[in-house]
Amino acid sequence: MGVEILDNGTRVLTAPGAMFGTDALLLGRFAQPRRDERALDLCSGCGIVALLWHDAGHRGPCTALEFDPAASALCGQAAAENGAEHITPVCADLRQFCTAGPEQGQYDFAACNPPYFAAGPRSPDKRRAEARHTDSCTTADAVDCARRALRDGGRFLLCQRPEQLAEVLSTLRAARLEPKRLAFVKNRPDAAPWLFLVEAQKGRKTGLRVEPDVLITSGAAMYGPRE
């Protein structure tokens, strides 16, 4: 088991098959729930996004939804070690989450770092392959779950590869999740983007703001151009 320490001392536990990358950190920092909002971390893995929100001061109820039992258990252990009782790990399939009853429309904020790949080479490690490929969760599945879970006006944050941009924006709008903020992630100002971050809001009018690129410099994310 590995341990990563966030900016304000929160411990994140990792293990083979339950790691996290730069995209998860970017997602968790691009937008965050307000201190007391009810939050939902979809495809939570080891709980990095929920724990990052905790590290930044979020204390409202937070559901960390993850399909893999071992990764979900790591999230629960980390939440206990950090005194983050407001984080509740739930091991379940997001395609069946919030499908009926009063649980629908109960969340103020949701985020998802979904599997990216529908094809191509697969890792021989089953858990890593599931985390990277869309067999058990497509972006459309995540969007549909957010649609069910969020209240009217609730916000949804998603990251994905640039080649999926048109499809993602179309899927969000079809689910009444109106894209409001969009930023591209680059390694250098003159490089092609390798990721985008989008924030949508449920049941709101059109109006998308394209923000300055997020630049990755010396291992750190910098929002907007720097001198």
Side-chain angles (χ1 to χ4, degrees):
M1 181 185 300
V3 178
E4 301 287 344
I5 309 297
L6 300 180
D7 293 343
N8 295 310
T10 298
R11 291 163 55 86
V12 182
L13 306 182
T14 63
M19 310 291 285
F20 66 88
T22 302
D23 49 357
L25 295 174
L26 292 166
L27 180 76
R29 290 169 174 158
F30 185 61
Q32 297 177 348
R34 298 178 181 90
R35 180 178 177 85
D36 297 320
E37 284 187 328
R38 186 179 177 110
L40 176 61
D41 176 14
L42 299 172
C43 300
S44 181
C46 65
I48 175 57
V49 171
L51 291 165
L52 193 152
W53 292 341
H54 168 78
D55 192 67
H58 178 245
R59 295 298 181 269
C62 181
T63 301
L65 187 66
E66 170 55 40
F67 186 72
D68 179 58
S72 185
L74 271 183
C75 176
Q77 184 177 342
E81 290 187 8
N82 288 290
E85 294 86 359
H86 61 287
I87 297 176
T88 303
V90 174
C91 185
D93 188 330
L94 61 74
R95 292 171 294 189
Q96 277 77 56
F97 188 72
C98 285
T99 55
E103 63 186 4
Q104 290 190 348
Q106 295 301 303
Y107 289 89
D108 303 298
F109 191 93
C112 186
N113 178 14
Y116 294 143
F117 304 108
R122 295 177 66 91
S123 170
D125 185 304
K126 182 175 182 292
R127 294 174 64 199
R128 181 171 174 79
E130 286 180 346
R132 291 173 56 82
H133 286 76
T134 60
D135 299 359
S136 60
C137 172
T138 65
T139 300
D141 292 332
V143 169
D144 194 52
C145 181
R147 174 191 61 79
R148 296 191 302 268
L150 288 170
R151 64 170 174 80
D152 192 52
R155 295 180 292 153
F156 178 50
L157 189 65
L158 182 75
C159 61
Q160 189 47 277
R161 300 296 184 183
E163 58 267 26
Q164 299 295 320
L165 178 61
E167 181 180 352
V168 167
L169 295 183
S170 175
T171 301
L172 286 168
R173 296 193 76 181
R176 295 185 59 247
L177 295 168
E178 187 62 37
K180 288 294 185 180
R181 298 172 60 221
L182 173 68
F184 294 95
V185 180
K186 298 180 176 182
N187 289 331
R188 308 182 312 275
D190 60 344
W194 59 271
L195 190 77
F196 71 85
L197 302 156
V198 62
E199 181 184 344
Q201 194 169 18
K202 184 175 179 179
R204 292 299 183 257
K205 295 179 180 179
T206 60
L208 175 63
R209 182 171 74 246
V210 179
E211 301 196 346
D213 294 335
V214 180
L215 302 180
I216 308 298
T217 304
S218 300
M222 299 199 306
Y223 285 73
R226 297 295 187 273
E227 297 297 333

PDB file of all heavy atoms in Angstrom, residues 22 26 29 214-223 226:
ATOM      1  N   THR A  22      -2.755  12.546 -12.734  1.00  0.00           N
ATOM      2  CA  THR A  22      -2.888  14.002 -12.791  1.00  0.00           C
ATOM      3  C   THR A  22      -4.304  14.419 -13.144  1.00  0.00           C
ATOM      4  O   THR A  22      -4.805  15.434 -12.647  1.00  0.00           O
ATOM      5  CB  THR A  22      -1.906  14.570 -13.835  1.00  0.00           C
ATOM      6  OG1 THR A  22      -0.577  14.177 -13.490  1.00  0.00           O
ATOM      7  CG2 THR A  22      -1.977  16.090 -13.894  1.00  0.00           C
ATOM      8  N   LEU A  26      -6.571  17.309 -11.355  1.00  0.00           N
ATOM      9  CA  LEU A  26      -7.101  18.438 -12.110  1.00  0.00           C
ATOM     10  C   LEU A  26      -8.618  18.529 -11.962  1.00  0.00           C
ATOM     11  O   LEU A  26      -9.175  19.615 -11.780  1.00  0.00           O
ATOM     12  CB  LEU A  26      -6.736  18.290 -13.591  1.00  0.00           C
ATOM     13  CG  LEU A  26      -5.258  18.425 -13.944  1.00  0.00           C
ATOM     14  CD1 LEU A  26      -5.011  17.927 -15.359  1.00  0.00           C
ATOM     15  CD2 LEU A  26      -4.795  19.860 -13.788  1.00  0.00           C
ATOM     16  N   ARG A  29      -9.741  19.905  -8.603  1.00  0.00           N
ATOM     17  CA  ARG A  29      -9.385  21.299  -8.343  1.00  0.00           C
ATOM     18  C   ARG A  29     -10.068  22.281  -9.284  1.00  0.00           C
ATOM     19  O   ARG A  29     -10.094  23.478  -9.000  1.00  0.00           O
ATOM     20  CB  ARG A  29      -7.864  21.462  -8.435  1.00  0.00           C
ATOM     21  CG  ARG A  29      -7.138  20.795  -7.271  1.00  0.00           C
ATOM     22  CD  ARG A  29      -5.654  20.724  -7.471  1.00  0.00           C
ATOM     23  NE  ARG A  29      -4.990  20.204  -6.275  1.00  0.00           N
ATOM     24  CZ  ARG A  29      -3.795  19.637  -6.264  1.00  0.00           C
ATOM     25  NH1 ARG A  29      -3.120  19.516  -7.398  1.00  0.00           N
ATOM     26  NH2 ARG A  29      -3.272  19.189  -5.140  1.00  0.00           N
ATOM     27  N   VAL A 214      -5.303  25.090 -18.956  1.00  0.00           N
ATOM     28  CA  VAL A 214      -4.623  24.632 -17.753  1.00  0.00           C
ATOM     29  C   VAL A 214      -3.283  24.065 -18.189  1.00  0.00           C
ATOM     30  O   VAL A 214      -3.231  23.118 -18.977  1.00  0.00           O
ATOM     31  CB  VAL A 214      -5.447  23.551 -17.020  1.00  0.00           C
ATOM     32  CG1 VAL A 214      -4.725  23.094 -15.764  1.00  0.00           C
ATOM     33  CG2 VAL A 214      -6.827  24.088 -16.671  1.00  0.00           C
ATOM     34  N   LEU A 215      -2.199  24.658 -17.721  1.00  0.00           N
ATOM     35  CA  LEU A 215      -0.863  24.257 -18.135  1.00  0.00           C
ATOM     36  C   LEU A 215      -0.214  23.404 -17.055  1.00  0.00           C
ATOM     37  O   LEU A 215      -0.263  23.747 -15.871  1.00  0.00           O
ATOM     38  CB  LEU A 215       0.000  25.482 -18.423  1.00  0.00           C
ATOM     39  CG  LEU A 215      -0.543  26.445 -19.494  1.00  0.00           C
ATOM     40  CD1 LEU A 215       0.408  27.614 -19.672  1.00  0.00           C
ATOM     41  CD2 LEU A 215      -0.758  25.710 -20.813  1.00  0.00           C
ATOM     42  N   ILE A 216       0.395  22.300 -17.470  1.00  0.00           N
ATOM     43  CA  ILE A 216       1.102  21.421 -16.552  1.00  0.00           C
ATOM     44  C   ILE A 216       2.586  21.772 -16.622  1.00  0.00           C
ATOM     45  O   ILE A 216       3.242  21.543 -17.638  1.00  0.00           O
ATOM     46  CB  ILE A 216       0.905  19.934 -16.905  1.00  0.00           C
ATOM     47  CG1 ILE A 216      -0.584  19.617 -17.039  1.00  0.00           C
ATOM     48  CG2 ILE A 216       1.561  19.047 -15.863  1.00  0.00           C
ATOM     49  CD1 ILE A 216      -1.385  19.824 -15.783  1.00  0.00           C
ATOM     50  N   THR A 217       3.111  22.365 -15.562  1.00  0.00           N
ATOM     51  CA  THR A 217       4.497  22.813 -15.545  1.00  0.00           C
ATOM     52  C   THR A 217       5.177  22.300 -14.281  1.00  0.00           C
ATOM     53  O   THR A 217       4.697  22.527 -13.173  1.00  0.00           O
ATOM     54  CB  THR A 217       4.574  24.353 -15.566  1.00  0.00           C
ATOM     55  OG1 THR A 217       3.865  24.825 -16.707  1.00  0.00           O
ATOM     56  CG2 THR A 217       6.013  24.827 -15.616  1.00  0.00           C
ATOM     57  N   SER A 218       6.268  21.583 -14.450  1.00  0.00           N
ATOM     58  CA  SER A 218       7.026  21.035 -13.320  1.00  0.00           C
ATOM     59  C   SER A 218       6.144  20.209 -12.393  1.00  0.00           C
ATOM     60  O   SER A 218       6.283  20.267 -11.165  1.00  0.00           O
ATOM     61  CB  SER A 218       7.692  22.179 -12.530  1.00  0.00           C
ATOM     62  OG  SER A 218       8.571  22.899 -13.360  1.00  0.00           O
ATOM     63  N   GLY A 219       5.218  19.464 -12.993  1.00  0.00           N
ATOM     64  CA  GLY A 219       4.366  18.588 -12.207  1.00  0.00           C
ATOM     65  C   GLY A 219       3.194  19.274 -11.555  1.00  0.00           C
ATOM     66  O   GLY A 219       2.415  18.633 -10.857  1.00  0.00           O
ATOM     67  N   ALA A 220       3.049  20.580 -11.735  1.00  0.00           N
ATOM     68  CA  ALA A 220       1.953  21.315 -11.099  1.00  0.00           C
ATOM     69  C   ALA A 220       1.033  21.885 -12.159  1.00  0.00           C
ATOM     70  O   ALA A 220       1.450  22.199 -13.273  1.00  0.00           O
ATOM     71  CB  ALA A 220       2.504  22.448 -10.228  1.00  0.00           C
ATOM     72  N   ALA A 221      -0.239  22.017 -11.826  1.00  0.00           N
ATOM     73  CA  ALA A 221      -1.212  22.591 -12.750  1.00  0.00           C
ATOM     74  C   ALA A 221      -1.283  24.089 -12.537  1.00  0.00           C
ATOM     75  O   ALA A 221      -1.436  24.558 -11.416  1.00  0.00           O
ATOM     76  CB  ALA A 221      -2.585  21.964 -12.532  1.00  0.00           C
ATOM     77  N   MET A 222      -1.147  24.854 -13.618  1.00  0.00           N
ATOM     78  CA  MET A 222      -1.282  26.298 -13.547  1.00  0.00           C
ATOM     79  C   MET A 222      -2.439  26.708 -14.436  1.00  0.00           C
ATOM     80  O   MET A 222      -2.477  26.374 -15.624  1.00  0.00           O
ATOM     81  CB  MET A 222       0.007  26.994 -13.997  1.00  0.00           C
ATOM     82  CG  MET A 222       1.215  26.646 -13.153  1.00  0.00           C
ATOM     83  SD  MET A 222       2.547  27.851 -13.353  1.00  0.00           S
ATOM     84  CE  MET A 222       2.762  27.879 -15.115  1.00  0.00           C
ATOM     85  N   TYR A 223      -3.388  27.441 -13.867  1.00  0.00           N
ATOM     86  CA  TYR A 223      -4.576  27.847 -14.609  1.00  0.00           C
ATOM     87  C   TYR A 223      -4.293  29.161 -15.318  1.00  0.00           C
ATOM     88  O   TYR A 223      -4.001  30.170 -14.688  1.00  0.00           O
ATOM     89  CB  TYR A 223      -5.767  28.006 -13.657  1.00  0.00           C
ATOM     90  CG  TYR A 223      -6.325  26.685 -13.223  1.00  0.00           C
ATOM     91  CD1 TYR A 223      -5.645  25.888 -12.322  1.00  0.00           C
ATOM     92  CD2 TYR A 223      -7.537  26.211 -13.735  1.00  0.00           C
ATOM     93  CE1 TYR A 223      -6.154  24.666 -11.935  1.00  0.00           C
ATOM     94  CE2 TYR A 223      -8.039  24.982 -13.351  1.00  0.00           C
ATOM     95  CZ  TYR A 223      -7.343  24.218 -12.447  1.00  0.00           C
ATOM     96  OH  TYR A 223      -7.835  23.005 -12.072  1.00  0.00           O
ATOM     97  N   ARG A 226       1.005  32.055 -18.043  1.00  0.00           N
ATOM     98  CA  ARG A 226       1.938  32.624 -17.071  1.00  0.00           C
ATOM     99  C   ARG A 226       3.068  33.310 -17.837  1.00  0.00           C
ATOM    100  O   ARG A 226       3.433  32.918 -18.925  1.00  0.00           O
ATOM    101  CB  ARG A 226       2.525  31.550 -16.159  1.00  0.00           C
ATOM    102  CG  ARG A 226       1.472  30.846 -15.282  1.00  0.00           C
ATOM    103  CD  ARG A 226       0.842  31.824 -14.294  1.00  0.00           C
ATOM    104  NE  ARG A 226      -0.023  31.140 -13.346  1.00  0.00           N
ATOM    105  CZ  ARG A 226      -1.309  30.877 -13.559  1.00  0.00           C
ATOM    106  NH1 ARG A 226      -1.862  31.225 -14.698  1.00  0.00           N
ATOM    107  NH2 ARG A 226      -2.034  30.278 -12.642  1.00  0.00           N
TER     108      ARG A 226
END
